[in-house]
Amino acid sequence: PKRDDLSQLTATGASMVVRGVINPSPKGKKQAIELQVEEVLHFGPCDRAVYPVSKTALTLEFLRTQTNLRARTNTISAALRVRTTIVAATHEPFHNNGF
């Protein structure tokens, strides 16, 4: 795309590669570093019919149809962390006693 026409790149789900130089941000900025872009490569816009992700929270019903997105949500990630902790606590006594 042209330098001034980056609207397609900002859509949710669009993929891109940006090349540039990482520099410290000027004093008074919230971030520590910034990227001075030299080149933007665009691999294609996001087709919302194929990849229907909104900027709002995803419902559990929607996640049942889009299994590839489940682990990216806070709810599912938290449940998986609890599950991992329970499994580790269950196995630890057996491991410590040589089973």
Side-chain angles (χ1 to χ4, degrees), residues 6-14 16 46 48 51-59 62 69 72-74:
L6 299 178
S7 61
Q8 292 180 351
L9 298 177
T10 59
T12 301
M16 68 183 97
C46 176
R48 294 178 193 270
Y51 191 73
V53 177
S54 66
K55 292 184 180 182
T56 60
L58 304 173
T59 65
F62 174 77
L69 300 176
R72 297 176 145 250
T73 63
N74 290 336

Side-chain angles (χ1 to χ4, degrees), residues 1-98:
K2 295 179 182 177
R3 180 182 174 99
D4 297 330
D5 184 25
L6 299 178
S7 61
Q8 292 180 351
L9 298 177
T10 59
T12 301
S15 62
M16 68 183 97
V17 173
V18 179
R19 291 188 182 137
V21 178
I22 296 177
N23 292 321
S25 290
K27 299 215 185 247
K29 297 285 184 177
K30 293 183 179 180
Q31 67 271 4
I33 59 172
E34 65 184 18
L35 174 66
Q36 292 182 344
V37 177
E38 295 172 352
E39 183 179 14
V40 176
L41 302 174
H42 184 228
F43 292 108
C46 176
D47 183 359
R48 294 178 193 270
V50 176
Y51 191 73
V53 177
S54 66
K55 292 184 180 182
T56 60
L58 304 173
T59 65
L60 294 176
E61 291 78 18
F62 174 77
L63 291 173
R64 287 189 188 103
T65 65
Q66 303 290 324
T67 56
N68 60 311
L69 300 176
R70 287 182 189 169
R72 297 176 145 250
T73 63
N74 290 336
T75 303
I76 302 299
S77 294
L80 290 175
R81 285 191 299 271
V82 169
R83 177 182 175 265
T84 301
T85 303
I86 292 170
V87 169
T90 303
H91 287 87
E92 185 179 2
F94 291 106
H95 180 73
N96 291 341
N97 291 308

